[in-house]
Amino acid sequence: MEAQNMEVAALVKKISGLHAAIAKLPSLSPSPAVDALFTELVTACVPPSPVDVTKLAPDAQKMREELIRLCSDAEGHLEAHYSDMLAAFDNPLDHLGLFPYYSNYINLSKLEHGLLVRYVPNLTAPSRVAFVGSGPLPFSSLVLASRHLPGTAFDNYDRCAAANDRARKLVRADTDLNARMSFHTADVANLTADELGVYDVVFLAALVGMAAEDKAKVVAHLGRHMADGAALVVRSAHGARGFLYPIVDLEDIRRGGFDVLAVYHPDDEVINSVIIARKVDAHANGAHQSGHAADARGAVPVVSPPCKCCKVEADAMQKREEMATKELSI
């Protein structure tokens, strides 16, 4: 345990130093200095780690929250830069590989589609999907629409009109995707049941609602307005990757009116964890919109290799159970 505490302390110290350096940058637009610092940050956060970022000291928590906002701003600048670059080509979709993290989106979209097919019954070919927080470079929608859901209509939502203008330019030369993809400038909090109730699946981007309470409000709003039985795909983070993206509390998803069906924590270059949930049918078997009925349906399957953090938690639970059993036998 002492070795793990030292490992966590060393990681937090390194991340704090990178946060301080990033915060001093005059701009977060792509540049050699920006790229180098964020590459170092991601490299530090990707390996398995016993750190639980939700239990950090208050000063480290504040640092983490500020760092996630800086990451969000930098990601926005990076996507806008490459969206403009791609838009200069006659057919932008032929050049998506120029984006340095394109392979990550291919792998993430493959993962999300596979989990949906596996854990959501009768959802092999949804007719209509929403992606909330699509941004200026909507890779997830593009990859899902072209590789996994060729007959599905995609509605992309973002609060930034400029981001949507950029995104539209990327599909202008592709007759199929241009017909199946639309872009809407709107805050998800203002979408009604008439709008959200038509979707078979809603994807929630990792940076929509960066603070835990904001994320919980977004999920609760979706729970009030999505159709019963519709699927919700939520991107989260786990372990040290929680320094890069917000971690979503499964209880907030349940309280929002959803059954949590599966959780996947990648152990490769894919950064985001994936949570698969389904809107509770409020009229079936006395279930309530609070989602408490989901608690009685058993443990949520974690369908990925356990990381160090999970192993530490599992070992601690096993020891508690062994002690309880020993006390009962005395």
Side-chain angles (χ1 to χ4, degrees), residues 65-235:
E65 292 169 1
E66 293 174 352
L67 182 58
I68 289 174
R69 289 185 173 85
L70 289 169
C71 289
S72 175
D73 290 345
E75 186 172 309
H77 284 296
L78 182 69
E79 291 189 359
H81 172 78
Y82 276 93
S83 187
D84 290 342
M85 179 189 297
L86 292 168
F89 292 100
D90 290 336
N91 189 346
L93 301 185
D94 290 340
H95 305 275
L96 297 182
L98 291 174
F99 188 70
Y101 305 110
Y102 180 51
S103 62
N104 289 15
Y105 284 94
I106 291 176
N107 293 332
L108 177 58
S109 298
K110 180 180 179 180
L111 168 63
E112 290 174 328
H113 178 256
L115 291 171
L116 278 170
V117 171
R118 181 177 178 182
Y119 288 99
V120 182
N122 306 316
L123 195 68
T124 55
S127 61
R128 200 166 176 186
V129 164
F131 196 98
V132 179
S134 49
L137 199 57
F139 273 131
S140 296
S141 292
L142 293 173
V143 174
L144 285 164
S146 60
R147 295 181 176 229
H148 304 292
L149 299 171
T152 301
F154 279 75
D155 287 339
N156 299 280
Y157 291 92
D158 200 281
R159 295 187 299 180
C160 178
N164 286 324
D165 289 340
R166 284 186 164 101
R168 287 188 190 96
K169 294 176 182 177
L170 301 180
V171 297
R172 68 180 190 276
D174 189 295
T175 304
D176 173 52
L177 290 184
N178 194 36
R180 290 194 289 127
M181 300 191 76
S182 59
F183 300 89
H184 310 273
T185 302
D187 188 324
V188 62
N190 297 326
L191 299 180
T192 66
D194 289 338
E195 293 160 308
L196 291 170
V198 303
Y199 299 116
D200 301 303
V201 185
V202 174
F203 289 82
L204 184 61
L207 294 173
V208 175
M210 286 186 283
E213 58 271 21
D214 294 333
K215 183 78 74 174
K217 289 178 182 177
V218 171
V219 170
H221 182 82
L222 292 172
R224 287 192 296 270
H225 298 293
M226 284 172 59
D228 290 345
L232 176 65
V233 181
V234 181
R235 292 179 180 175

Side-chain angles (χ1 to χ4, degrees), residues 277-290:
R278 182 174 52 193
K279 171 70 183 300
V280 172
D281 185 346
H283 305 291
N285 300 322
H288 298 290
Q289 281 294 87
S290 65

